[in-house]
Amino acid sequence: MSPYQLSSDRHLSRRHFLKAGAAAASGLALSGCGWTLANVRTTIDTPSDVLYLYTWAGYTDDELIKEFYDETGIRVIADVFSSNEEMLAKLQAGAGGAYSIIYPSDYMVRKMVSLDWLVDLDRDRLLGLDELFPRFQNPGYDTQNRHSIPMSWGTTGLIYNSRKLQPNPTDWDYLWDNRQQLSKRISLLNDGREVIGAALRSLGYSYNTTNIDAIRQAYQKLTELKSAIATFTSDAWTSQIITGDLTIAMCYSADAVQVIEESPGTAYLLPDSGSSVWTDTMAIPRTAPNIEGAYAWLNFMLRPDVSARVCERLSFATPNQVAFGLLPEEVQNNDSLFPPESALEKSEELKPLPTEVGEAFDLYWTRLTSG
Amino acid sequence: MFQSATETQAPPRTQSDCDVELRKVFKVFNGETAVRGVELNVRRGEFFSILGPSGCGKTTTLRLIAGFETPSAGEILIRGESANQVPPYRRPVNTVFQSYALFDRMSVRDNVAFGLKVKRQNPSEIDDRVDRALQLVKMEGFAKRFPKQLSGGQQQRVALARALVNRPAVLLLDEPLGALDLKLRKEMQVELTNLHQDLGLTFVMVTHDQEEALSLSDRIAVMKDGRIEQIGSPEEIYDRPKTPFVADFIGDTNLFKGHIEECDRGSVVLRTDTGLKLVVRPPEDPNDRTVGRKAIASVRPEKIRLSRSAPETEVNYFEGRLQHAMFMGTHVHCVVKLTSGETLTVRQSALPEGHLDDRASVYVSWGPNDGLALSV
Amino acid sequence: MSITTNPPPEPPKLKPQTEASKKPFGSRWLGQLVLLGPAGIWLLLLLVVPTLVILELSLVADIRPGDVVNPDGFANYLRAFAPLNLTVIGRSISFALGTTIGCLILGFPVAYWIALQAPKKWRNLLLLGFILPLWTSSLLRSYAWITILRRTGVLNSIIGIIGIPPLELMNEPPAVLIGMTYSFLPYMVLILYASLEKLDRRLLEASADLGATPPETFLRVTVPQVFPGIAAGGLLVFITSLGDFINPELLGGASSMTVARLIYNQFLGQTPNWGFGSALSTLLILLVSIAIALLLKYGDRDAKV
């Protein structure tokens, strides 16, 4: 895919499961040597002046790629995926051998480290790690950033029509308390972890609970809301919140920021009882060719000026403290993009779950969406 | 059973005893006129044929009667009532299609029962009538078969039964025997005649086969270029054709172009363009019997006598050479080239005086009543 | 000439005959190999082998990427028949059936008109017009339907003008049926057109001649004649809509889990379970195979007799 197509995808930025569904299917092949499932590691050698990225839509644009080319002479080609699982499946199926840089999210970093898919980064070759916010210098999902460099972060919350909802909502329970008035005007993310997690949080449990009874309670609570939910969607809510067909929608902060820019009557809420915080990172897969180029890209993205420019242009939150300082004041003060530390205290990152807990999530999610 | 058909239909409002009338009917397709002012009456109980070469408009005429086409101008009456606005499914006529158009997904029985079923007859009556119709065409043993399992002749019979079971006022037959081989065709011709006589129905048949038309029909309409050239009984059409086209199309004939030189009540003298003097019967229409008028003489091959020596007659004998002779079983077909240049076909029951060489010198002759002058 | 008491000698011409028939037989094999080889390899690699792999995987409980394949029973199938999963499968089947019926009802008159009544020179253009939507992404088409069907959407604006209260179609099964019917209508129209175009018009005339009104002719003659086309089109639409999860997910609201999405989740979801996904896939393949078998057995029965 040409990088020039990416900039047009800017609006729908993250976790767009459907868009790349077809691409995912191609990554579904088995590699059956000795009937071990999908455990192939192929490297496809690429020239040293070409660098293949495998990233989310909306994290690169022509300008960024041109800037990098002007400085290093390396041409960047970016492919996009729409879910972490899709990215992993493609790599596991042996179809990702050309990528030197991938963009896993926090929990996927954990998972890929445990599967030994990520290169141990050589700290001597990286510049500016100390310029990250302190909490990104030693994140829970990857101690000391040994395998990954954070490049963007955000929260999950609610976007709502601030004119219709007076007084403004403050927490998840608002949905349950007003489910009569909000009937069929609510959309939730099409993501079991996030939806059940939000219910868990409102019940006082952790997003990462391993208590299956707690998950069942969360499911029960969601069934009470079910009749008021219009749909589960991670992207189709954008136009409908603008037109007023939806009044309140569960979403990622990065998407909300873009919608609020265009539609002033909307606002983003990070619920009081806490939510999930996610971090998207850059990492080098074990199969990566052109390691030199990969480090060049990481160092380029770690530069505060580069990070500040691209974050402002593409509306995502930088984890780089120096870069944050370079941003215009109104961006710095955008609570949706950079929520205050106090609001983040109760939020958690999603962690990989033991299989039986994961299956419980899956089972209740299937029940919720099919009942 | 089928005789009663006429009783079930409403009695005609007019005094006419015609089942089908066409009044100055035209049909134009995309600027091409297929039928030009056709007028004809088909009498009740008659076997009427429309005969002509392909593209003459005969099938279109039949389709106009069936209702598959609507006339561009003119009027069609069925049983004395205007049928111009009547859709095919309300006309008291049924058609036997050219290649039968049997429903290949239905059994023979269902094919035959189709018309009765759509008319919501009660089932026991349907069974009864279907049985009798199949008996009539001798197909009672094939009721459960499908059309693809039948021979052409059997399909033909089913098509007949399917039409007849509805007791139509008029049965339309579109080249009904065209797809059959010669032997089967002869058999079916006999059966068609028998059916017609037994049922007393009005049949209108379209055919390009003049022999078929001559042998089956009470009356024939000969069509050419969308027009009717002549309507008459087979004998009239054959013996007294009104136009050179009819004379040529019905049976074989020899035509001589020329003009009328002398004329009296019983005969005319026609001088051909090559200078021959022929004595033949005068044209039908007295107005055409004028001296000096252009005309064509028609002499049927079987009327011509062939002889080795000059015949003892004063008129209508000419010298020529035998080009070739073909033995056809019942007769011998000869081609003779006259010294004046014309080529004649001659049909003899046997060649005179035994064997004749090709290229042999021969005489041809015929009586004054054996030829007919036709106005051009 | 020979002694009559002896058993008759083998006719001498038999031998050269078998030799003669052997030779072309061998080269015929080669010819068939050349003709069918490429497609055969294609089918083997991309259809037969993956199907067998899925079949084997479906017999392994709880298998995940990296595990060794070791078939151990039918646990995945038992799980597939749990009430929850049957609900999902049932929903998929009813969406697919509804779409098939919708496509038939909408597609038949259109195909009939194009094949039998539209001017000949316009036919290809009209067909092209129907195929054109296929050139856009199906995702885009579903989003377009959101724009049309939502509460403040195009449809409700239009019917609002003439005083009809707004319809709540969006996020309900009707929206899914509308979106899916629209998606698969072109296939139905194309197949029905191909079938209707071959329809022997003289049979329609014969039917009218025998007294059948146009509706009767349609039911008694046209429909039976084009039944193979109806069956083929219906089957194609049924199968493709069974695998569609984009329309249900975008248009169907909160209760729109389909078997296709369920399978997707088993492979690309947060808790993959390739064995269970394979079992569901195998069931789907079975379902479709049964439908095809029924079509082959009954679809063209009369014509084959």
Side-chain angles (χ1 to χ4, degrees):
Chain A
M1 183 184 284
S2 138
Y4 300 101
Q5 286 171 319
L6 287 175
S7 53
S8 62
D9 276 337
R10 189 183 152 223
H11 191 76
L12 292 172
S13 62
R14 226 184 106 88
R15 291 175 199 186
H16 298 302
F17 147 75
L18 290 164
K19 190 171 289 170
S26 69
L28 218 155
L30 291 182
S31 42
C33 25
W35 286 120
T36 303
L37 267 184
N39 203 13
V40 193
R41 299 195 173 184
T42 343
T43 299
I44 300 165
D45 279 323
T46 55
S48 61
D49 60 345
V50 180
L51 188 72
Y52 284 87
L53 306 184
Y54 199 26
T55 179
W56 301 91
Y59 276 164
T60 52
D61 64 359
D62 297 347
E63 226 176 301
L64 184 71
I65 284 167
K66 188 177 178 297
E67 210 177 322
F68 183 65
Y69 178 78
D70 290 344
E71 285 194 15
T72 62
I74 297 174
R75 205 155 49 87
V76 167
I77 294 169
D79 285 353
V80 293
F81 56 83
S82 58
S83 79
N84 282 300
E85 290 73 19
E86 179 197 330
M87 182 265 291
L88 177 61
K90 183 164 177 179
L91 259 57
Q92 284 181 325
Y99 299 123
S100 298
I101 295 280
I102 55 173
Y103 280 57
S105 303
D106 39 41
Y107 74 95
M108 188 50 69
V109 171
R110 285 184 201 253
K111 185 164 182 177
M112 292 185 86
V113 167
S114 75
L115 292 171
D116 195 28
W117 258 100
L118 300 181
V119 166
D120 285 347
L121 296 177
D122 183 351
R123 299 182 73 84
D124 295 340
R125 296 171 74 173
L126 293 168
L127 297 168
L129 279 175
D130 50 346
E131 288 167 349
L132 297 173
F133 280 107
R135 66 188 173 92
F136 288 109
Q137 291 195 17
N138 186 16
Y141 58 84
D142 186 22
T143 316
Q144 303 284 327
N145 289 322
R146 292 229 314 260
H147 306 90
S148 65
I149 308 291
M151 68 86 56
S152 161
W153 66 281
T155 56
T156 300
L158 293 165
I159 187 170
Y160 60 95
N161 187 317
S162 52
R163 291 178 190 140
K164 279 189 194 159
L165 299 189
Q166 292 290 348
N168 291 343
T170 57
D171 203 353
W172 296 117
D173 276 334
Y174 185 89
L175 299 175
W176 276 266
D177 296 343
N178 297 282
R179 61 178 184 267
Q180 308 294 342
Q181 300 93 293
L182 291 173
S183 181
K184 298 291 174 194
R185 302 290 171 259
I186 300 172
S187 83
L188 301 183
L189 285 173
N190 190 7
D191 183 314
R193 280 297 297 277
E194 292 281 10
V195 171
I196 296 174
L200 281 169
R201 195 71 222 186
S202 75
L203 288 168
Y205 295 103
S206 160
Y207 268 82
N208 301 304
T209 185
T210 53
N211 176 353
I212 290 179
D213 188 57
I215 300 169
R216 192 189 51 75
Q217 289 174 39
Y219 162 74
Q220 291 287 335
K221 184 167 183 180
L222 284 165
T223 54
E224 292 164 24
L225 188 63
K226 181 75 190 291
S227 61
I229 301 170
T231 187
F232 294 99
T233 178
S234 300
D235 42 37
W237 56 268
T238 48
S239 61
Q240 296 184 68
I241 204 97
I242 294 171
T243 56
D245 288 290
L246 292 173
T247 311
I248 188 162
M250 185 176 176
C251 65
Y252 300 114
S253 56
D255 293 335
V257 168
Q258 291 185 2
V259 169
I260 291 167
E261 254 175 47
E262 289 169 30
S263 180
T266 54
Y268 179 74
L269 159 74
L270 186 60
D272 285 350
S273 58
S275 176
S276 71
V277 182
W278 46 264
T279 310
D280 286 343
T281 74
M282 299 173 291
I284 304 176
R286 282 259 179 247
T287 53
N290 196 2
I291 300 286
E292 287 298 319
Y295 277 102
W297 178 261
L298 293 179
N299 281 322
F300 177 69
M301 292 302 288
L302 277 169
R303 264 170 45 190
D305 61 319
V306 173
S307 182
R309 274 198 303 275
V310 71
C311 288
E312 193 190 345
R313 206 164 61 235
L314 299 179
S315 302
F316 58 80
T318 175
N320 190 313
Q321 193 161 19
V322 182
F324 178 77
L326 297 174
L327 290 170
E329 206 167 323
E330 76 264 21
V331 179
Q332 286 182 353
N333 293 336
N334 185 335
D335 280 355
S336 310
L337 211 49
F338 297 102
E341 286 292 327
S342 60
L344 285 174
E345 268 168 25
K346 286 182 181 165
S347 297
E348 311 171 64
E349 67 170 88
L350 299 181
K351 292 172 188 160
L353 298 168
T355 304
E356 63 278 12
V357 179
E359 292 205 320
F361 265 97
D362 231 39
L363 172 70
Y364 286 117
W365 176 245
T366 306
R367 276 201 194 164
L368 188 66
T369 51
S370 56
Chain B
M1 77 188 249
F2 291 105
Q3 279 88 338
S4 64
T6 49
E7 292 157 23
T8 62
Q9 306 288 341
R13 273 199 306 216
T14 62
Q15 295 300 320
S16 148
D17 62 349
C18 288
D19 269 346
V20 179
E21 284 179 62
L22 268 61
R23 294 180 183 163
K24 291 231 180 319
V25 169
F26 286 82
K27 179 65 191 177
V28 183
F29 294 109
N30 302 323
E32 301 234 347
T33 311
V35 173
R36 303 164 186 262
V38 163
E39 297 218 29
L40 57 83
N41 299 316
V42 180
R43 296 176 197 133
R44 185 151 308 164
E46 184 174 42
F47 198 133
F48 190 90
S49 292
I50 303 172
L51 175 66
S54 64
C56 72
K58 58 187 189 299
T59 294
T60 306
T61 307
L62 195 77
R63 290 172 60 81
L64 284 162
I65 299 171
F68 304 138
E69 313 286 355
T70 47
S72 309
E75 195 175 14
I76 294 171
L77 292 93
I78 296 174
R79 291 260 158 118
E81 288 185 60
S82 171
N84 281 21
Q85 304 303 321
V86 181
Y89 50 90
R90 287 215 205 92
R91 296 193 184 194
V93 301
N94 284 115
T95 308
V96 175
F97 290 86
Q98 186 160 12
S99 29
Y100 323 131
L102 295 177
F103 305 122
D104 51 10
R105 283 166 187 279
M106 294 180 200
S107 67
V108 165
R109 167 166 284 277
D110 289 340
N111 263 281
V112 176
F114 188 92
L116 301 176
K117 278 186 186 160
V118 299
K119 290 188 195 89
R120 308 267 187 280
Q121 305 280 357
N122 76 56
S124 64
E125 197 194 335
I126 293 178
D127 280 351
D128 208 38
R129 281 170 67 176
V130 169
D131 285 340
R132 274 189 283 164
L134 285 172
Q135 269 167 26
L136 194 70
V137 296
K138 306 190 185 79
M139 288 294 289
E140 58 270 44
F142 297 86
K144 285 185 183 144
R145 300 246 191 133
F146 283 83
K148 277 179 188 162
Q149 298 167 297
L150 301 179
S151 70
Q154 290 168 331
Q155 292 186 27
Q156 171 66 270
R157 289 162 198 267
V158 176
L160 264 170
R162 185 177 70 172
L164 289 171
V165 78
N166 302 294
R167 300 175 182 167
V170 181
L171 184 70
L172 306 175
L173 302 116
D174 185 4
E175 302 268 11
L177 310 177
L180 303 181
D181 61 49
L182 183 68
K183 189 159 174 288
L184 210 52
R185 193 152 69 217
K186 297 284 180 206
E187 278 175 36
M188 285 304 294
Q189 283 177 7
V190 175
E191 291 199 29
L192 271 184
T193 318
N194 291 342
L195 272 176
H196 178 243
Q197 279 164 4
D198 293 349
L199 302 176
L201 277 179
T202 308
F203 280 31
V204 178
M205 179 175 81
V206 153
T207 182
H208 68 277
D209 181 339
Q210 37 105 358
E211 218 176 293
E212 196 168 285
L214 292 173
S215 59
L216 295 176
S217 319
D218 295 320
R219 285 194 305 146
I220 299 171
V222 182
M223 281 188 79
K224 181 199 173 196
D225 297 337
R227 289 194 183 85
I228 290 189
E229 293 265 310
Q230 184 172 1
I231 299 181
S233 68
E235 294 78 13
E236 281 172 334
I237 298 274
Y238 191 80
D239 289 336
R240 296 197 295 281
K242 281 186 179 161
T243 67
F245 173 79
V246 175
D248 195 30
F249 190 74
I250 309 294
D252 285 337
T253 197
N254 296 294
L255 296 177
F256 300 86
K257 268 191 197 170
H259 60 276
I260 294 172
E261 207 167 66
E262 286 171 41
C263 190
D264 61 41
R265 248 183 325 141
S267 64
V268 295
V269 174
L270 185 136
R271 177 73 64 183
T272 69
D273 298 346
T274 54
L276 300 181
K277 181 185 160 192
L278 311 181
V279 181
V280 292
R281 283 184 283 134
E284 291 272 307
D285 189 342
N287 297 329
D288 293 336
R289 300 173 188 167
T290 342
V291 172
R293 205 186 158 93
K294 286 201 168 178
I296 288 178
S298 157
V299 185
R300 299 277 181 201
E302 69 272 18
K303 305 276 188 182
I304 300 175
R305 285 183 302 278
L306 199 62
S307 55
R308 186 167 278 222
S309 51
E312 293 166 5
T313 159
E314 286 172 18
V315 294
N316 298 345
Y317 75 92
F318 308 100
E319 206 182 340
R321 274 184 189 282
L322 186 65
Q323 295 253 318
H324 58 262
M326 276 185 291
F327 179 67
M328 306 294 286
T330 56
H331 63 272
V332 182
H333 181 95
C334 306
V335 177
V336 177
K337 181 151 185 155
L338 300 185
T339 40
S340 52
E342 284 95 343
T343 304
L344 297 190
T345 53
V346 179
R347 192 191 267 207
Q348 300 285 286
S349 54
L351 284 177
E353 296 146 54
H355 184 74
L356 268 177
D357 289 333
D358 278 2
R359 320 291 309 160
S361 173
V362 290
Y363 289 89
V364 294
S365 60
W366 62 86
N369 277 326
D370 292 339
L372 175 68
L374 301 165
S375 55
V376 183
Chain C
M1 74 180 200
S2 62
I3 304 158
T4 46
T5 50
N6 280 356
E10 202 171 287
K13 54 178 175 177
L14 201 71
K15 214 178 170 186
Q17 219 175 29
T18 49
E19 265 176 357
S21 61
K22 244 182 199 168
K23 238 184 180 174
F25 190 70
S27 59
R28 207 186 309 147
W29 257 105
L30 193 72
Q32 285 174 347
L33 204 68
V34 169
L35 287 175
L36 300 177
I41 291 168
W42 178 267
L43 274 181
L44 194 74
L45 286 181
L46 295 178
L47 187 71
V48 178
V49 171
T51 308
L52 290 177
V53 168
I54 286 176
L55 197 67
E56 186 170 7
L57 281 180
S58 73
L59 299 173
V60 192
D62 295 327
I63 190 167
R64 296 191 164 73
D67 293 353
V68 174
V69 178
N70 190 11
D72 59 359
F74 294 93
N76 289 322
Y77 288 95
L78 291 178
R79 187 174 159 195
F81 283 113
L84 172 65
N85 296 320
L86 285 182
T87 314
V88 175
I89 294 172
R91 175 178 299 116
S92 287
I93 291 177
S94 39
F95 278 153
L97 272 180
T99 305
T100 309
I101 293 168
C103 284
L104 252 182
I105 292 174
L106 291 178
F108 203 106
V110 173
Y112 188 89
W113 182 74
I114 297 178
L116 296 175
Q117 288 174 355
K120 262 207 173 86
K121 52 184 171 183
W122 294 108
R123 274 179 206 167
N124 287 336
L125 212 64
L126 286 165
L127 283 177
L128 194 70
F130 257 86
I131 304 163
L132 226 57
L134 289 180
W135 294 354
T136 62
S137 118
S138 55
L139 193 61
L140 209 66
R141 281 180 270 158
S142 295
Y143 272 104
W145 276 111
I146 294 180
T147 314
I148 295 169
L149 295 177
R150 59 172 201 239
R151 195 171 41 93
T152 60
V154 177
L155 178 72
N156 280 327
S157 315
I158 292 172
I159 65 172
I161 295 170
I162 51 173
I164 298 172
L167 297 170
E168 291 276 359
L169 292 172
M170 188 57 208
N171 292 325
E172 299 290 340
V176 178
L177 289 180
I178 291 171
M180 282 171 76
T181 302
Y182 175 73
S183 290
F184 302 122
L185 189 60
Y187 300 108
M188 185 64 105
V189 168
L190 277 183
I191 291 181
L192 287 179
Y193 169 81
S195 183
L196 281 161
E197 206 220 352
K198 282 184 283 176
L199 179 68
D200 187 348
R201 273 165 235 209
R202 290 171 316 136
L203 295 184
L204 307 186
E205 287 182 348
S207 172
D209 186 74
L210 293 166
T213 57
E216 275 173 327
T217 297
F218 179 79
L219 287 176
R220 287 173 184 267
V221 180
T222 313
V223 169
Q225 285 293 321
V226 297
F227 183 74
I230 294 173
L235 197 66
L236 183 73
V237 170
F238 181 79
I239 292 171
T240 26
S241 49
L242 205 55
D244 182 14
F245 55 78
I246 291 179
N247 281 302
E249 204 155 301
L250 284 176
L251 303 170
S255 296
S256 58
M257 178 66 83
T258 56
V259 69
R261 177 65 204 231
L262 196 57
I263 292 173
Y264 182 103
N265 286 351
Q266 304 315 312
F267 288 96
L268 294 172
Q270 286 157 344
T271 317
N273 185 338
W274 290 27
F276 179 51
S278 298
L280 286 172
S281 305
T282 306
L283 288 177
L284 216 56
I285 293 170
L286 260 176
L287 193 73
V288 167
S289 307
I290 290 171
I292 293 175
L294 286 176
L295 176 78
L296 290 179
K297 193 160 180 351
Y298 298 107
D300 208 7
R301 186 174 43 169
D302 295 345
K304 262 194 291 187
V305 172

